[in-house]
Amino acid sequence: MQQQLECVSLQVCVSVLGPLESVVRRCLGPEGGSVLFTRDTGETLISRHGQRVLSTLHLEHPMARMVLDCVCAHAKSTGDGTKSFILLLSALLRAIQDSAHMRRKASWSNPALQNLANRLMALSRNELDDIIIHQVTPYASSYCSHHSDKLEHSILDYLISGYISGRTGAGQAEILKHILCEFYYKSKRDQNTTETISFIHSHFNVLHTRVAGLPVGCSEVIEGLVVTRDWSVWTELRGPIKALVLYESFGSSLGDNITVCFQQDWLSRTESITKQKLAYLLELQVNVVLSSVKQPECVLQWARMNHVALLECVDSDQLDFLCNINFPETLSHPQHIVMLKYCKRLQLGGLRCAQLGIYSNAHTLVLCAPAPGLLDQTVCVSRGVFLMLQHITRTLESNQFKSSSVDQSQCTVSSQDLWRAVMQAGGVLPVGGVFEFLLHHFLLTRHTSDPESCRLLAEALLCVPRALYAHNHRRFLNIQTCFFNDLKKWDRTSVGDPVKFEFGFSEGLCLESVSGKQQLVVSVLECLHRLLCVGAVLYTRSLLRPQIYSEEDEEEEEEVHTNSI
C-alpha cells in the first residue's frame, strides 16, 4: 500500500496557523465582531466564542487539527483564552522564523528547532513560576490594595465582566453579567463560595434552560428546577408534595417475576398487579409522578381519576439531580420518592414547561437569544464563567496549602472571604493586556542563562494587546508608553508601599485571572513544543489506535520466535 509522506517545516507551521489567526483576530476583544458561518444547505451560524469558532472550521491539515486539540484541552481546564492561544502561538512561530534571518541563516534545522522547543519548555517549567510569584503577583497585589475600596465588594462582577466582554456583544454583555451574578448570589445563600461555584459548574447542564426566539433581555433566574416538558396530566397542588421518580415504564417493572403459560392470563395478572401498585401509591400519598419515559395509558387514566400530576419524558440527569439533593425514599431500584415544595406550570416563550420547587438553594438559569447560534454562544459563555471562577478558587486553595507560611486557621479565614484572599494574593489584574505587558517587561529584564528564549516569548506576548488595539495603533503605542513609565515608577518604590499611579486600562473596570493567563502561556509553549518536534506527516488508512502490550503478549511473541527458529 502506497503511503503519502509530507515533510513538516517551520514555514508549514506558520502557514497552517495563518488562517486560524486571521479568523480569531476579527472577533477578539470588546470591539471585535462575530463570525458568520454558512453551508451549501443554507444553514448559518453566528458566533464570536473562540472555541466554537475554531471547532466549526473545516480543518484539513493534521497540524491544524493538532493545534485545535491543544486549544480545546486548554479551554476545558480554564474556560478561557482560546483566541489569545492562537494569537500567541502564531506570534511565537513568526518570531522564531524571523530570528533565523537575524542570525543570517536561511532557515532553522530540525535539530535546532527541537533544541529551541526544549529550551522554551524549560523556561515555562523552571522560570515562569518564579517570575509570576515574585514579580507579577506583587504588582497585582499592589494594584488590588490601592483599589481595595472599589474592588472588594465588586470583584466578582468585574471578573464576570472581564470574561464576558470579549465573547458577546456590548449590549448583551451587560445583561448577561447581571443575570449570572443574580444566579450566583441566589444559588449561594449561606453556602461557602467555593462550594457554590463548584456546585453550579458541576450541575450546569441541569441548572440551565435554553429558550430560542426571545431577546437576551428575557433571560431570568427561576427558583427550583425547570423541566422543558409540559405536564401530561395536570392538577393544582399545594405543598409539601410527595413525588414518585420513575426511570422506566410503570408496567414493565411489575410483571418481571411472573411465570405464566398463556398471554391472556399474563395480561390479567399484570393488570391486577398494576392496580395494586397504583393503589399503594395513593396510600403513600403520592401526588406527582416524574418519569423519564412514556407511561402506559392506564397510568394516565389513574392519574386523572385520582388528581395526580404526571410529567413524562423528563431528562434522566434532572431526575438524578432531584434524587441526589433530596435524600429520597427508595421503593425499589428504579423507583424513588422525593419531597417537593410545589409544582407549577410555566410558559417560556413558545415552550410550556414544568417548575419544581426543591428544598435547597437550587435555581435555574433561563438563557434566551433570538437565534440558535447566539443562544449557543450565550450558553457557552455562561458555562465558561463558572469554569473560570472554579479555576481561580482551586488555584488559590492549592497555593495556600502549598505555602509553608500559611497555617490552617488562616486558610479557613481565607475560604470564608474568598475574594478578599484573591485580592491579597494578587490573583487578578485589569484586562486589556496588563499581564502581557508585565510579563514582557520582566522577561526582558531578567538575568537568565537563556536570554534568547526569554526574548522570543517576551516579544510574542505583545501580540495580544496589539491585536486588542488594532483599530487604533497610536492608542496602543500611547498605552504601552504610559504603562512602562508607570512600571518604572513602581520599580523605584519599596515593595511595601502602595502603588500611587493608575494603570493604562483603568477605565474598563474588568478583571481577569493571573493564574488563567499563566496557564495560557504554559499551554501555548507545550503546543509549540509538539509542533516543532514533528518532522513529518504520514498519511495512512490504518486505524490510529495505540496498541497496548501486556506481559502475556510478550511471552507469546517469544514462544512464536523460538518455534520459528
Side-chain angles (χ1 to χ4, degrees):
M1 180 183 296
Q2 187 176 3
Q3 294 176 327
Q4 183 181 356
L5 180 67
E6 177 187 352
C7 294
V8 177
S9 62
L10 180 61
Q11 180 59 43
V12 170
C13 296
V14 174
S15 301
V16 166
L17 265 293
L20 299 181
E21 181 186 16
S22 64
V23 171
V24 300
R25 184 182 291 273
R26 300 173 187 272
C27 52
L28 181 72
E31 299 185 9
S34 299
V35 178
L36 172 63
F37 293 94
T38 182
R39 300 182 63 182
D40 296 339
T41 58
E43 181 183 0
T44 59
L45 172 68
I46 301 175
S47 181
R48 60 184 296 179
H49 187 267
Q51 186 177 357
R52 180 65 166 154
V53 168
L54 293 172
S55 300
T56 308
L57 293 173
H58 179 64
L59 304 177
E60 295 184 353
H61 201 283
M63 302 294 284
R65 293 197 293 269
M66 187 174 73
V67 170
L68 178 60
D69 290 340
C70 295
V71 171
C72 292
H74 169 75
K76 186 178 180 180
S77 172
T78 64
D80 195 9
T82 52
K83 289 176 276 192
S84 299
F85 188 107
I86 297 295
L87 293 177
L88 182 55
L89 182 60
S90 300
L92 268 170
L93 289 170
R94 284 196 303 271
I96 294 172
Q97 188 179 43
D98 295 339
S99 65
H101 301 296
M102 295 175 60
R103 294 183 171 194
R104 298 181 181 179
K105 293 182 179 181
S107 62
W108 286 82
S109 64
N110 285 339
L113 278 178
Q114 293 181 12
N115 177 264
L116 179 60
N118 292 333
R119 285 156 46 199
L120 286 168
M121 280 298 296
L123 171 64
S124 70
R125 292 172 179 170
N126 303 329
E127 299 190 43
L128 188 59
D129 269 345
D130 184 69
I131 296 174
I132 297 295
I133 293 173
H134 295 102
Q135 293 178 290
V136 175
T137 299
Y139 193 84
S141 181
S142 296
Y143 172 81
C144 292
S145 176
H146 188 59
H147 299 83
S148 58
D149 294 339
K150 182 190 299 183
L151 298 178
E152 186 170 350
H153 301 292
S154 305
I155 184 171
L156 179 67
D157 296 32
Y158 295 149
L159 279 170
I160 294 178
S161 295
Y163 187 91
I164 293 176
S165 60
R167 294 168 175 80
T168 60
Q172 299 173 356
E174 191 65 23
I175 297 172
L176 194 57
K177 183 194 76 171
H178 289 301
I179 291 295
L180 292 178
C181 288
E182 179 186 354
F183 179 52
Y184 166 80
Y185 287 118
K186 285 187 175 181
S187 301
K188 182 178 182 295
R189 296 283 179 87
D190 299 327
Q191 292 182 350
N192 179 275
T193 301
T194 305
E195 294 175 353
T196 303
I197 293 173
S198 179
F199 174 79
I200 293 175
H201 171 66
S202 302
H203 300 95
F204 189 81
N205 288 338
V206 177
L207 297 175
H208 87 277
T209 296
R210 306 179 180 211
V211 180
L214 295 178
V216 179
C218 293
S219 301
E220 58 180 324
V221 179
I222 296 179
E223 183 184 6
L225 191 64
V226 174
V227 181
T228 54
R229 296 285 180 182
D230 193 12
W231 294 91
S232 303
V233 178
W234 170 247
T235 183
E236 294 287 346
L237 298 169
R238 294 183 179 180
I241 299 169
K242 275 189 176 183
L244 174 68
V245 176
L246 294 175
Y247 289 91
E248 59 183 32
S249 176
F250 198 84
S252 65
S253 62
L254 299 175
D256 294 341
N257 298 322
I258 301 176
T259 304
V260 295
C261 298
F262 301 98
Q263 182 179 4
Q264 185 176 2
D265 187 26
W266 179 84
L267 289 175
S268 61
R269 293 192 182 191
T270 301
E271 183 179 355
S272 174
I273 294 176
T274 301
K275 291 180 179 179
Q276 292 178 12
K277 294 290 186 180
L278 293 176
Y280 179 62
L281 294 182
L282 294 179
E283 292 179 8
L284 293 176
Q285 298 181 342
V286 170
N287 307 111
V288 175
V289 176
L290 306 174
S291 172
S292 62
V293 297
K294 292 284 290 183
Q295 292 296 327
E297 183 61 28
C298 63
V299 177
L300 274 71
Q301 293 178 1
W302 168 83
R304 295 189 190 101
M305 293 175 59
N306 295 280
H307 304 287
V308 174
L310 173 62
L311 188 62
E312 299 175 295
C313 301
V314 182
D315 186 77
S316 297
D317 291 338
Q318 290 184 310
L319 294 181
D320 292 340
F321 177 78
L322 273 176
C323 292
N324 289 335
I325 66 173
N326 275 343
F327 304 104
E329 175 187 348
T330 302
L331 297 183
S332 61
H333 175 61
Q335 301 177 5
H336 309 278
I337 290 182
V338 298
M339 296 300 298
L340 302 176
K341 287 198 287 187
Y342 56 81
C343 293
K344 295 181 180 179
R345 275 182 159 175
L346 192 65
Q347 187 77 26
L348 297 176
L351 291 176
R352 284 188 174 183
C353 305
Q355 181 183 358
L356 308 178
I358 308 173
Y359 287 97
S360 72
N361 292 333
H363 287 67
T364 298
L365 177 65
V366 178
L367 296 172
C368 306
L374 294 177
L375 180 58
D376 180 71
Q377 172 182 285
T378 303
V379 172
C380 290
V381 170
S382 302
R383 187 195 311 272
V385 163
F386 294 101
L387 177 55
M388 175 268 296
L389 294 175
Q390 181 173 261
H391 185 265
I392 292 176
T393 57
R394 288 184 175 179
T395 302
L396 177 66
E397 291 178 346
S398 176
N399 292 340
Q400 284 182 330
F401 281 107
K402 286 180 181 179
S403 175
S404 59
S405 60
V406 178
D407 58 23
Q408 186 64 34
S409 62
Q410 289 176 319
C411 288
T412 304
V413 172
S414 297
S415 65
Q416 293 174 356
D417 194 358
L418 182 72
W419 303 123
R420 181 178 298 175
V422 170
M423 291 172 53
Q424 292 174 351
V428 293
L429 278 170
V431 300
V434 175
F435 176 86
E436 287 80 8
F437 279 136
L438 284 173
L439 190 55
H440 167 87
H441 172 75
F442 294 130
L443 282 169
L444 291 181
T445 57
R446 184 175 180 81
H447 298 288
T448 177
S449 58
D450 189 4
E452 182 182 26
S453 298
C454 290
R455 180 187 61 81
L456 289 172
L457 179 57
E459 295 301 328
L461 283 166
L462 293 183
C463 72
V464 176
R466 191 177 286 115
L468 285 172
Y469 301 105
H471 58 283
N472 191 340
H473 187 63
R474 178 175 295 180
R475 185 185 176 197
F476 165 75
L477 294 177
N478 290 337
I479 289 176
Q480 183 181 17
T481 302
C482 294
F483 185 87
F484 286 130
N485 288 337
D486 289 345
L487 190 58
K488 291 177 182 178
K489 295 177 184 178
W490 183 77
D491 286 338
R492 288 195 294 267
T493 63
S494 62
V495 178
D497 293 339
V499 181
K500 300 297 184 181
F501 54 90
E502 298 288 339
F503 280 90
F505 311 94
S506 59
E507 73 276 9
L509 295 179
C510 296
L511 298 175
E512 60 186 357
S513 163
V514 172
S515 61
K517 300 295 286 188
Q518 179 184 357
Q519 184 59 47
L520 170 66
V521 175
V522 173
S523 299
V524 168
L525 292 178
E526 289 176 350
C527 183
L528 178 71
H529 184 271
R530 293 182 63 183
L531 287 176
L532 297 184
C533 289
V534 174
V537 175
L538 180 63
Y539 295 88
T540 179
R541 294 183 179 178
S542 303
L543 292 177
L544 299 179
R545 183 172 56 193
Q547 191 169 1
I548 302 175
Y549 290 93
S550 63
E551 295 180 359
E552 295 179 358
D553 295 331
E554 294 179 358
E555 292 176 358
E556 290 179 1
E557 290 181 0
E558 291 178 359
E559 290 178 1
V560 171
H561 179 69
T562 304
N563 294 334
S564 62
I565 294 176

